Amino acid sequence: MNIAVFGTGMVARAIGPALASQGHSVIYGTRNPADTLTRTAPGPFGGPPFSEWHKTQPDALLGTFADAAEHAALIVNATSGSGSLPALEQAGQHRLDGKILIDIANPLDFSNGFPPSLSVCNTDSLAERIQRAYPGLKVVKALNTLTAALMVNPAALSGDHVIFMSGNDAAAKVQVASLLQQAFGWKAHNIIDLGDVSTARGTEMLLPLWVRLYASLQTPMFNFSLVRQSEAS
Ligand SMILES: NC(=O)c1ccc[n+]([C@@H]2O[C@H](COP(=O)([O-])OP(=O)(O)OC[C@H]3O[C@@H](n4cnc5c(N)ncnc54)[C@H](OP(=O)(O)O)[C@@H]3O)[C@@H](O)[C@H]2O)c1
């Protein structure tokens, strides 16, 4: 499948190669490809600049958000929370209509330092804002509650641990769940469909807890697990 990964940060650098390794054709979207390829400053969280990473992935295609969306059957949103709507606007509605968007972004606001606050919460969410702005897009919120390395390698943690999906289009969620299983190794019973896109409020609001756990555990390599009462008990 032709897949556009919007973003050039650590999520895009985890998701893109994992999809490409499964035979998908991946193109990364960025604001200005020439700038992104020549930027030498580290990323916002201290990671290497995209140009350094690109040397290790010489076949990785990079274009504008519009270039990336043009031939994509599915789009992954791995832009910052504040950059998500601008990135989609740059892609253009006619290149988005009818496509699935796996929305991994979180509306984190670091303007007052750590811990970040949420720029939208309680009665709305970033996923809903995207869905309202682009009614023709099939938004499926997923993978936003764990670190990038675990998104594409759940087996790095032993035992069952879960991810969540939110979206209005049932068929799109089935397709995304299938991709997450086939490309990244998620087990079907560990992909929890929460319901319509408004349920993304809950998973985006997990982030304040997630960042505090990160600070407390001093590692991002953890995830949430559900313990349910068994039918027999
Ligand atoms: N890092 C993780 O492990 C993790 C885990 C779960 C969820 N998330 C969420 O996933 C998303 C990506 O995270 P990340 O750490 O990979 O990268 P990030 O630093 O949060 O975002 C980087 C991307 O955002 C784009 N961007 C920033 N401002 C923009 C604007 N005004 N207009 C358009 N695009 C803009 C950048 O575009 P350029 O390429 O043009 O610079 C870049 O590609 C975030 O929303 C984050 O909250 C991250």
Side-chain angles (χ1 to χ4, degrees), residues 143-192:
L143 296 174
N144 62 309
T145 52
L146 73 176
T147 198
L150 290 177
M151 293 174 191
V152 297
N153 185 18
L157 297 180
S158 58
D160 280 330
H161 53 101
V162 299
I163 51 174
F164 307 98
M165 280 196 317
S166 305
N168 295 342
D169 190 299
K173 286 190 284 190
V174 168
Q175 200 176 327
V176 170
S178 168
L179 184 69
L180 298 178
Q181 290 168 63
Q182 286 164 16
F184 305 151
W186 283 96
K187 294 175 189 160
H189 66 272
N190 286 332
I191 304 173
I192 313 289

mmCIF file of all heavy atoms in Angstrom, residues 143-192:
data_model
loop_
_atom_site.group_PDB
_atom_site.id
_atom_site.type_symbol
_atom_site.label_atom_id
_atom_site.label_comp_id
_atom_site.label_asym_id
_atom_site.label_seq_id
_atom_site.Cartn_x
_atom_site.Cartn_y
_atom_site.Cartn_z
ATOM 1 N N LEU A 143 -2.252 4.412 18.864
ATOM 2 C CA LEU A 143 -0.810 4.380 19.143
ATOM 3 C C LEU A 143 -0.277 5.608 19.883
ATOM 4 O O LEU A 143 0.931 5.725 20.071
ATOM 5 C CB LEU A 143 0.000 4.215 17.842
ATOM 6 C CG LEU A 143 -0.184 2.925 17.052
ATOM 7 C CD1 LEU A 143 0.584 3.005 15.721
ATOM 8 C CD2 LEU A 143 0.289 1.711 17.845
ATOM 9 N N ASN A 144 -1.173 6.519 20.315
ATOM 10 C CA ASN A 144 -0.685 7.768 20.915
ATOM 11 C C ASN A 144 -0.339 7.631 22.386
ATOM 12 O O ASN A 144 0.121 8.599 22.992
ATOM 13 C CB ASN A 144 -1.730 8.887 20.742
ATOM 14 C CG ASN A 144 -3.042 8.572 21.440
ATOM 15 O OD1 ASN A 144 -3.586 7.490 21.245
ATOM 16 N ND2 ASN A 144 -3.540 9.492 22.235
ATOM 17 N N THR A 145 -0.528 6.445 22.964
ATOM 18 C CA THR A 145 -0.350 6.290 24.414
ATOM 19 C C THR A 145 0.901 5.507 24.804
ATOM 20 O O THR A 145 0.994 5.027 25.927
ATOM 21 C CB THR A 145 -1.589 5.588 25.017
ATOM 22 O OG1 THR A 145 -1.829 4.378 24.272
ATOM 23 C CG2 THR A 145 -2.819 6.477 24.944
ATOM 24 N N LEU A 146 1.832 5.367 23.869
ATOM 25 C CA LEU A 146 3.072 4.661 24.201
ATOM 26 C C LEU A 146 4.215 5.204 23.353
ATOM 27 O O LEU A 146 3.980 5.888 22.350
ATOM 28 C CB LEU A 146 2.926 3.134 24.038
ATOM 29 C CG LEU A 146 2.865 2.506 22.653
ATOM 30 C CD1 LEU A 146 2.824 0.980 22.804
ATOM 31 C CD2 LEU A 146 1.673 2.959 21.862
ATOM 32 N N THR A 147 5.436 4.907 23.789
ATOM 33 C CA THR A 147 6.591 5.478 23.099
ATOM 34 C C THR A 147 6.786 4.848 21.719
ATOM 35 O O THR A 147 6.370 3.711 21.466
ATOM 36 C CB THR A 147 7.859 5.326 23.970
ATOM 37 O OG1 THR A 147 8.853 6.225 23.510
ATOM 38 C CG2 THR A 147 8.401 3.899 23.941
ATOM 39 N N ALA A 148 7.448 5.602 20.837
ATOM 40 C CA ALA A 148 7.552 5.216 19.427
ATOM 41 C C ALA A 148 8.140 3.812 19.246
ATOM 42 O O ALA A 148 7.642 3.031 18.428
ATOM 43 C CB ALA A 148 8.390 6.249 18.680
ATOM 44 N N ALA A 149 9.177 3.486 20.001
ATOM 45 C CA ALA A 149 9.836 2.186 19.816
ATOM 46 C C ALA A 149 8.877 1.032 20.095
ATOM 47 O O ALA A 149 8.962 -0.033 19.451
ATOM 48 C CB ALA A 149 11.062 2.078 20.728
ATOM 49 N N LEU A 150 7.945 1.238 21.037
ATOM 50 C CA LEU A 150 6.995 0.168 21.365
ATOM 51 C C LEU A 150 5.834 0.091 20.375
ATOM 52 O O LEU A 150 5.241 -0.966 20.193
ATOM 53 C CB LEU A 150 6.435 0.371 22.779
ATOM 54 C CG LEU A 150 7.432 0.137 23.918
ATOM 55 C CD1 LEU A 150 6.770 0.453 25.254
ATOM 56 C CD2 LEU A 150 7.943 -1.305 23.914
ATOM 57 N N MET A 151 5.529 1.217 19.720
ATOM 58 C CA MET A 151 4.437 1.198 18.734
ATOM 59 C C MET A 151 4.666 0.104 17.698
ATOM 60 O O MET A 151 3.743 -0.587 17.295
ATOM 61 C CB MET A 151 4.357 2.544 17.985
ATOM 62 C CG MET A 151 3.956 3.724 18.825
ATOM 63 S SD MET A 151 4.097 5.245 17.841
ATOM 64 C CE MET A 151 3.915 6.486 19.111
ATOM 65 N N VAL A 152 5.921 -0.003 17.269
ATOM 66 C CA VAL A 152 6.243 -0.921 16.174
ATOM 67 C C VAL A 152 6.891 -2.219 16.669
ATOM 68 O O VAL A 152 7.238 -3.076 15.858
ATOM 69 C CB VAL A 152 7.181 -0.239 15.146
ATOM 70 C CG1 VAL A 152 6.486 0.948 14.514
ATOM 71 C CG2 VAL A 152 8.505 0.187 15.782
ATOM 72 N N ASN A 153 7.030 -2.358 17.969
ATOM 73 C CA ASN A 153 7.650 -3.568 18.521
ATOM 74 C C ASN A 153 7.068 -3.884 19.895
ATOM 75 O O ASN A 153 7.753 -3.790 20.918
ATOM 76 C CB ASN A 153 9.168 -3.372 18.623
ATOM 77 C CG ASN A 153 9.869 -4.639 19.074
ATOM 78 O OD1 ASN A 153 9.299 -5.747 18.986
ATOM 79 N ND2 ASN A 153 11.091 -4.507 19.578
ATOM 80 N N PRO A 154 5.769 -4.255 19.916
ATOM 81 C CA PRO A 154 5.159 -4.521 21.220
ATOM 82 C C PRO A 154 5.832 -5.669 21.964
ATOM 83 O O PRO A 154 5.789 -5.716 23.194
ATOM 84 C CB PRO A 154 3.702 -4.860 20.865
ATOM 85 C CG PRO A 154 3.689 -5.150 19.398
ATOM 86 C CD PRO A 154 4.819 -4.394 18.798
ATOM 87 N N ALA A 155 6.496 -6.566 21.231
ATOM 88 C CA ALA A 155 7.152 -7.712 21.879
ATOM 89 C C ALA A 155 8.345 -7.279 22.736
ATOM 90 O O ALA A 155 8.882 -8.083 23.500
ATOM 91 C CB ALA A 155 7.610 -8.720 20.819
ATOM 92 N N ALA A 156 8.740 -6.016 22.646
ATOM 93 C CA ALA A 156 9.841 -5.532 23.493
ATOM 94 C C ALA A 156 9.455 -5.547 24.973
ATOM 95 O O ALA A 156 10.326 -5.512 25.837
ATOM 96 C CB ALA A 156 10.270 -4.128 23.073
ATOM 97 N N LEU A 157 8.151 -5.570 25.257
ATOM 98 C CA LEU A 157 7.684 -5.740 26.636
ATOM 99 C C LEU A 157 7.057 -7.130 26.736
ATOM 100 O O LEU A 157 6.311 -7.529 25.845
ATOM 101 C CB LEU A 157 6.624 -4.697 27.001
ATOM 102 C CG LEU A 157 7.037 -3.225 26.998
ATOM 103 C CD1 LEU A 157 5.832 -2.358 27.391
ATOM 104 C CD2 LEU A 157 8.214 -2.964 27.924
ATOM 105 N N SER A 158 7.324 -7.825 27.830
ATOM 106 C CA SER A 158 6.744 -9.162 27.947
ATOM 107 C C SER A 158 5.285 -9.049 28.402
ATOM 108 O O SER A 158 4.888 -8.068 29.033
ATOM 109 C CB SER A 158 7.551 -10.012 28.926
ATOM 110 O OG SER A 158 7.569 -9.372 30.165
ATOM 111 N N GLY A 159 4.513 -10.039 28.071
ATOM 112 C CA GLY A 159 3.116 -10.079 28.505
ATOM 113 C C GLY A 159 2.206 -9.220 27.658
ATOM 114 O O GLY A 159 2.630 -8.584 26.697
ATOM 115 N N ASP A 160 0.933 -9.219 28.061
ATOM 116 C CA ASP A 160 -0.068 -8.442 27.325
ATOM 117 C C ASP A 160 -0.055 -6.983 27.764
ATOM 118 O O ASP A 160 -0.010 -6.690 28.956
ATOM 119 C CB ASP A 160 -1.469 -9.020 27.577
ATOM 120 C CG ASP A 160 -1.747 -10.239 26.722
ATOM 121 O OD1 ASP A 160 -1.190 -10.319 25.602
ATOM 122 O OD2 ASP A 160 -2.505 -11.115 27.171
ATOM 123 N N HIS A 161 -0.085 -6.090 26.808
ATOM 124 C CA HIS A 161 -0.263 -4.668 27.090
ATOM 125 C C HIS A 161 -1.020 -4.101 25.900
ATOM 126 O O HIS A 161 -0.992 -4.666 24.813
ATOM 127 C CB HIS A 161 1.083 -3.961 27.336
ATOM 128 C CG HIS A 161 2.108 -4.164 26.270
ATOM 129 N ND1 HIS A 161 2.378 -3.232 25.310
ATOM 130 C CD2 HIS A 161 2.923 -5.219 26.006
ATOM 131 C CE1 HIS A 161 3.326 -3.685 24.506
ATOM 132 N NE2 HIS A 161 3.674 -4.892 24.901
ATOM 133 N N VAL A 162 -1.704 -2.979 26.126
ATOM 134 C CA VAL A 162 -2.754 -2.614 25.174
ATOM 135 C C VAL A 162 -2.529 -1.265 24.486
ATOM 136 O O VAL A 162 -1.810 -0.398 24.971
ATOM 137 C CB VAL A 162 -4.137 -2.575 25.868
ATOM 138 C CG1 VAL A 162 -4.502 -3.929 26.434
ATOM 139 C CG2 VAL A 162 -4.197 -1.501 26.942
ATOM 140 N N ILE A 163 -3.194 -1.162 23.338
ATOM 141 C CA ILE A 163 -3.342 0.123 22.653
ATOM 142 C C ILE A 163 -4.836 0.325 22.410
ATOM 143 O O ILE A 163 -5.620 -0.619 22.486
ATOM 144 C CB ILE A 163 -2.552 0.182 21.326
ATOM 145 C CG1 ILE A 163 -2.865 -1.023 20.442
ATOM 146 C CG2 ILE A 163 -1.068 0.327 21.594
ATOM 147 C CD1 ILE A 163 -2.237 -0.942 19.061
ATOM 148 N N PHE A 164 -5.197 1.552 22.114
ATOM 149 C CA PHE A 164 -6.602 1.920 21.972
ATOM 150 C C PHE A 164 -6.856 2.471 20.576
ATOM 151 O O PHE A 164 -5.948 3.029 19.945
ATOM 152 C CB PHE A 164 -6.970 2.983 23.016
ATOM 153 C CG PHE A 164 -6.620 2.580 24.422
ATOM 154 C CD1 PHE A 164 -5.442 3.039 25.021
ATOM 155 C CD2 PHE A 164 -7.444 1.726 25.141
ATOM 156 C CE1 PHE A 164 -5.108 2.650 26.315
ATOM 157 C CE2 PHE A 164 -7.117 1.339 26.435
ATOM 158 C CZ PHE A 164 -5.941 1.805 27.025
ATOM 159 N N MET A 165 -8.090 2.319 20.130
ATOM 160 C CA MET A 165 -8.493 2.915 18.847
ATOM 161 C C MET A 165 -9.785 3.694 19.064
ATOM 162 O O MET A 165 -10.680 3.230 19.775
ATOM 163 C CB MET A 165 -8.800 1.835 17.811
ATOM 164 C CG MET A 165 -7.595 1.238 17.142
ATOM 165 S SD MET A 165 -8.059 0.334 15.639
ATOM 166 C CE MET A 165 -9.502 -0.544 16.159
ATOM 167 N N SER A 166 -9.875 4.855 18.425
ATOM 168 C CA SER A 166 -11.093 5.680 18.450
ATOM 169 C C SER A 166 -11.367 6.140 17.032
ATOM 170 O O SER A 166 -10.449 6.622 16.359
ATOM 171 C CB SER A 166 -10.887 6.931 19.310
ATOM 172 O OG SER A 166 -10.463 6.608 20.610
ATOM 173 N N GLY A 167 -12.615 6.039 16.597
ATOM 174 C CA GLY A 167 -12.928 6.531 15.260
ATOM 175 C C GLY A 167 -14.381 6.263 14.913
ATOM 176 O O GLY A 167 -14.992 5.330 15.450
ATOM 177 N N ASN A 168 -14.909 7.049 14.003
ATOM 178 C CA ASN A 168 -16.320 6.931 13.633
ATOM 179 C C ASN A 168 -16.579 5.864 12.578
ATOM 180 O O ASN A 168 -17.696 5.412 12.414
ATOM 181 C CB ASN A 168 -16.836 8.270 13.081
ATOM 182 C CG ASN A 168 -16.831 9.362 14.143
ATOM 183 O OD1 ASN A 168 -16.764 9.070 15.338
ATOM 184 N ND2 ASN A 168 -16.879 10.610 13.704
ATOM 185 N N ASP A 169 -15.538 5.488 11.830
ATOM 186 C CA ASP A 169 -15.725 4.589 10.680
ATOM 187 C C ASP A 169 -15.274 3.170 11.079
ATOM 188 O O ASP A 169 -14.075 2.900 11.250
ATOM 189 C CB ASP A 169 -14.895 5.112 9.499
ATOM 190 C CG ASP A 169 -15.223 4.385 8.210
ATOM 191 O OD1 ASP A 169 -15.014 3.143 8.160
ATOM 192 O OD2 ASP A 169 -15.681 5.036 7.253
ATOM 193 N N ALA A 170 -16.273 2.286 11.227
ATOM 194 C CA ALA A 170 -15.982 0.927 11.708
ATOM 195 C C ALA A 170 -15.039 0.187 10.760
ATOM 196 O O ALA A 170 -14.106 -0.501 11.199
ATOM 197 C CB ALA A 170 -17.285 0.154 11.884
ATOM 198 N N ALA A 171 -15.260 0.326 9.454
ATOM 199 C CA ALA A 171 -14.425 -0.397 8.485
ATOM 200 C C ALA A 171 -12.987 0.120 8.537
ATOM 201 O O ALA A 171 -12.030 -0.659 8.406
ATOM 202 C CB ALA A 171 -14.998 -0.237 7.083
ATOM 203 N N ALA A 172 -12.819 1.416 8.739
ATOM 204 C CA ALA A 172 -11.465 1.978 8.835
ATOM 205 C C ALA A 172 -10.741 1.417 10.057
ATOM 206 O O ALA A 172 -9.542 1.103 9.995
ATOM 207 C CB ALA A 172 -11.540 3.506 8.909
ATOM 208 N N LYS A 173 -11.474 1.262 11.160
ATOM 209 C CA LYS A 173 -10.835 0.718 12.366
ATOM 210 C C LYS A 173 -10.427 -0.739 12.152
ATOM 211 O O LYS A 173 -9.366 -1.163 12.615
ATOM 212 C CB LYS A 173 -11.765 0.871 13.572
ATOM 213 C CG LYS A 173 -11.847 2.314 14.057
ATOM 214 C CD LYS A 173 -12.569 2.453 15.390
ATOM 215 C CE LYS A 173 -14.058 2.324 15.233
ATOM 216 N NZ LYS A 173 -14.785 2.686 16.463
ATOM 217 N N VAL A 174 -11.252 -1.499 11.431
ATOM 218 C CA VAL A 174 -10.898 -2.896 11.128
ATOM 219 C C VAL A 174 -9.614 -2.929 10.294
ATOM 220 O O VAL A 174 -8.696 -3.725 10.544
ATOM 221 C CB VAL A 174 -12.060 -3.599 10.388
ATOM 222 C CG1 VAL A 174 -11.615 -4.939 9.820
ATOM 223 C CG2 VAL A 174 -13.252 -3.777 11.321
ATOM 224 N N GLN A 175 -9.523 -2.023 9.318
ATOM 225 C CA GLN A 175 -8.329 -1.991 8.446
ATOM 226 C C GLN A 175 -7.082 -1.584 9.236
ATOM 227 O O GLN A 175 -6.007 -2.148 9.057
ATOM 228 C CB GLN A 175 -8.573 -1.012 7.287
ATOM 229 C CG GLN A 175 -7.646 -1.263 6.119
ATOM 230 C CD GLN A 175 -7.953 -0.353 4.932
ATOM 231 O OE1 GLN A 175 -9.104 0.009 4.696
ATOM 232 N NE2 GLN A 175 -6.923 0.014 4.200
ATOM 233 N N VAL A 176 -7.251 -0.604 10.130
ATOM 234 C CA VAL A 176 -6.102 -0.155 10.932
ATOM 235 C C VAL A 176 -5.671 -1.271 11.888
ATOM 236 O O VAL A 176 -4.470 -1.552 12.028
ATOM 237 C CB VAL A 176 -6.436 1.142 11.701
ATOM 238 C CG1 VAL A 176 -5.341 1.470 12.712
ATOM 239 C CG2 VAL A 176 -6.610 2.301 10.721
ATOM 240 N N ALA A 177 -6.633 -1.926 12.526
ATOM 241 C CA ALA A 177 -6.284 -3.016 13.443
ATOM 242 C C ALA A 177 -5.525 -4.109 12.706
ATOM 243 O O ALA A 177 -4.535 -4.663 13.220
ATOM 244 C CB ALA A 177 -7.548 -3.578 14.094
ATOM 245 N N SER A 178 -5.945 -4.407 11.502
ATOM 246 C CA SER A 178 -5.270 -5.427 10.704
ATOM 247 C C SER A 178 -3.841 -4.998 10.379
ATOM 248 O O SER A 178 -2.894 -5.792 10.487
ATOM 249 C CB SER A 178 -6.103 -5.653 9.441
ATOM 250 O OG SER A 178 -5.406 -6.397 8.518
ATOM 251 N N LEU A 179 -3.661 -3.739 10.009
ATOM 252 C CA LEU A 179 -2.313 -3.231 9.705
ATOM 253 C C LEU A 179 -1.429 -3.293 10.953
ATOM 254 O O LEU A 179 -0.250 -3.692 10.874
ATOM 255 C CB LEU A 179 -2.421 -1.784 9.199
ATOM 256 C CG LEU A 179 -1.117 -1.126 8.751
ATOM 257 C CD1 LEU A 179 -0.594 -1.768 7.464
ATOM 258 C CD2 LEU A 179 -1.309 0.383 8.527
ATOM 259 N N LEU A 180 -1.982 -2.911 12.104
ATOM 260 C CA LEU A 180 -1.182 -2.914 13.337
ATOM 261 C C LEU A 180 -0.752 -4.341 13.703
ATOM 262 O O LEU A 180 0.345 -4.551 14.223
ATOM 263 C CB LEU A 180 -1.978 -2.286 14.493
ATOM 264 C CG LEU A 180 -2.381 -0.821 14.320
ATOM 265 C CD1 LEU A 180 -3.197 -0.329 15.514
ATOM 266 C CD2 LEU A 180 -1.157 0.070 14.125
ATOM 267 N N GLN A 181 -1.617 -5.290 13.405
ATOM 268 C CA GLN A 181 -1.270 -6.685 13.683
ATOM 269 C C GLN A 181 -0.201 -7.172 12.705
ATOM 270 O O GLN A 181 0.824 -7.740 13.103
ATOM 271 C CB GLN A 181 -2.504 -7.574 13.571
ATOM 272 C CG GLN A 181 -3.511 -7.351 14.684
ATOM 273 C CD GLN A 181 -4.844 -8.034 14.376
ATOM 274 O OE1 GLN A 181 -4.920 -9.258 14.259
ATOM 275 N NE2 GLN A 181 -5.888 -7.254 14.222
ATOM 276 N N GLN A 182 -0.447 -6.941 11.413
ATOM 277 C CA GLN A 182 0.445 -7.495 10.389
ATOM 278 C C GLN A 182 1.800 -6.795 10.359
ATOM 279 O O GLN A 182 2.843 -7.432 10.240
ATOM 280 C CB GLN A 182 -0.212 -7.399 9.012
ATOM 281 C CG GLN A 182 -1.323 -8.422 8.824
ATOM 282 C CD GLN A 182 -2.218 -8.078 7.638
ATOM 283 O OE1 GLN A 182 -1.874 -7.268 6.790
ATOM 284 N NE2 GLN A 182 -3.372 -8.706 7.589
ATOM 285 N N ALA A 183 1.791 -5.478 10.451
ATOM 286 C CA ALA A 183 3.043 -4.736 10.262
ATOM 287 C C ALA A 183 3.854 -4.636 11.549
ATOM 288 O O ALA A 183 5.097 -4.640 11.503
ATOM 289 C CB ALA A 183 2.748 -3.335 9.726
ATOM 290 N N PHE A 184 3.172 -4.533 12.700
ATOM 291 C CA PHE A 184 3.897 -4.258 13.947
ATOM 292 C C PHE A 184 3.816 -5.388 14.973
ATOM 293 O O PHE A 184 4.513 -5.332 15.983
ATOM 294 C CB PHE A 184 3.373 -2.967 14.603
ATOM 295 C CG PHE A 184 3.393 -1.751 13.701
ATOM 296 C CD1 PHE A 184 2.470 -0.730 13.874
ATOM 297 C CD2 PHE A 184 4.329 -1.617 12.686
ATOM 298 C CE1 PHE A 184 2.477 0.394 13.056
ATOM 299 C CE2 PHE A 184 4.340 -0.498 11.852
ATOM 300 C CZ PHE A 184 3.413 0.509 12.041
ATOM 301 N N GLY A 185 2.944 -6.370 14.734
ATOM 302 C CA GLY A 185 2.887 -7.520 15.642
ATOM 303 C C GLY A 185 1.947 -7.360 16.826
ATOM 304 O O GLY A 185 2.058 -8.111 17.799
ATOM 305 N N TRP A 186 1.009 -6.383 16.770
ATOM 306 C CA TRP A 186 0.053 -6.272 17.872
ATOM 307 C C TRP A 186 -0.907 -7.452 17.837
ATOM 308 O O TRP A 186 -1.360 -7.858 16.768
ATOM 309 C CB TRP A 186 -0.723 -4.953 17.788
ATOM 310 C CG TRP A 186 0.122 -3.805 18.251
ATOM 311 C CD1 TRP A 186 0.850 -2.957 17.473
ATOM 312 C CD2 TRP A 186 0.368 -3.436 19.608
ATOM 313 N NE1 TRP A 186 1.544 -2.079 18.273
ATOM 314 C CE2 TRP A 186 1.265 -2.346 19.588
ATOM 315 C CE3 TRP A 186 -0.070 -3.919 20.843
ATOM 316 C CZ2 TRP A 186 1.727 -1.731 20.758
ATOM 317 C CZ3 TRP A 186 0.384 -3.308 22.004
ATOM 318 C CH2 TRP A 186 1.271 -2.221 21.952
ATOM 319 N N LYS A 187 -1.234 -8.005 19.020
ATOM 320 C CA LYS A 187 -2.219 -9.080 19.080
ATOM 321 C C LYS A 187 -3.616 -8.464 19.059
ATOM 322 O O LYS A 187 -3.845 -7.430 19.707
ATOM 323 C CB LYS A 187 -2.038 -9.879 20.373
ATOM 324 C CG LYS A 187 -0.728 -10.624 20.432
ATOM 325 C CD LYS A 187 -0.566 -11.275 21.788
ATOM 326 C CE LYS A 187 0.825 -11.843 21.935
ATOM 327 N NZ LYS A 187 1.205 -12.066 23.328
ATOM 328 N N ALA A 188 -4.535 -9.110 18.360
ATOM 329 C CA ALA A 188 -5.882 -8.553 18.198
ATOM 330 C C ALA A 188 -6.525 -8.220 19.546
ATOM 331 O O ALA A 188 -7.160 -7.178 19.699
ATOM 332 C CB ALA A 188 -6.758 -9.534 17.413
ATOM 333 N N HIS A 189 -6.334 -9.116 20.534
ATOM 334 C CA HIS A 189 -7.021 -8.871 21.816
ATOM 335 C C HIS A 189 -6.376 -7.744 22.616
ATOM 336 O O HIS A 189 -6.925 -7.321 23.633
ATOM 337 C CB HIS A 189 -7.094 -10.163 22.649
ATOM 338 C CG HIS A 189 -5.765 -10.681 23.107
ATOM 339 N ND1 HIS A 189 -5.005 -11.546 22.346
ATOM 340 C CD2 HIS A 189 -5.059 -10.443 24.226
ATOM 341 C CE1 HIS A 189 -3.884 -11.833 22.996
ATOM 342 N NE2 HIS A 189 -3.890 -11.166 24.127
ATOM 343 N N ASN A 190 -5.254 -7.242 22.171
ATOM 344 C CA ASN A 190 -4.617 -6.098 22.849
ATOM 345 C C ASN A 190 -4.891 -4.769 22.149
ATOM 346 O O ASN A 190 -4.303 -3.744 22.498
ATOM 347 C CB ASN A 190 -3.121 -6.326 22.972
ATOM 348 C CG ASN A 190 -2.804 -7.359 24.042
ATOM 349 O OD1 ASN A 190 -3.566 -7.503 25.000
ATOM 350 N ND2 ASN A 190 -1.709 -8.088 23.880
ATOM 351 N N ILE A 191 -5.752 -4.799 21.135
ATOM 352 C CA ILE A 191 -6.166 -3.567 20.454
ATOM 353 C C ILE A 191 -7.604 -3.291 20.889
ATOM 354 O O ILE A 191 -8.532 -4.001 20.497
ATOM 355 C CB ILE A 191 -6.075 -3.712 18.919
ATOM 356 C CG1 ILE A 191 -4.650 -4.119 18.506
ATOM 357 C CG2 ILE A 191 -6.475 -2.413 18.236
ATOM 358 C CD1 ILE A 191 -4.502 -4.443 17.014
ATOM 359 N N ILE A 192 -7.787 -2.290 21.721
ATOM 360 C CA ILE A 192 -9.099 -2.029 22.319
ATOM 361 C C ILE A 192 -9.814 -0.927 21.530
ATOM 362 O O ILE A 192 -9.350 0.218 21.506
ATOM 363 C CB ILE A 192 -8.961 -1.556 23.793
ATOM 364 C CG1 ILE A 192 -7.996 -2.458 24.577
ATOM 365 C CG2 ILE A 192 -10.334 -1.454 24.457
ATOM 366 C CD1 ILE A 192 -8.508 -3.825 24.884
#
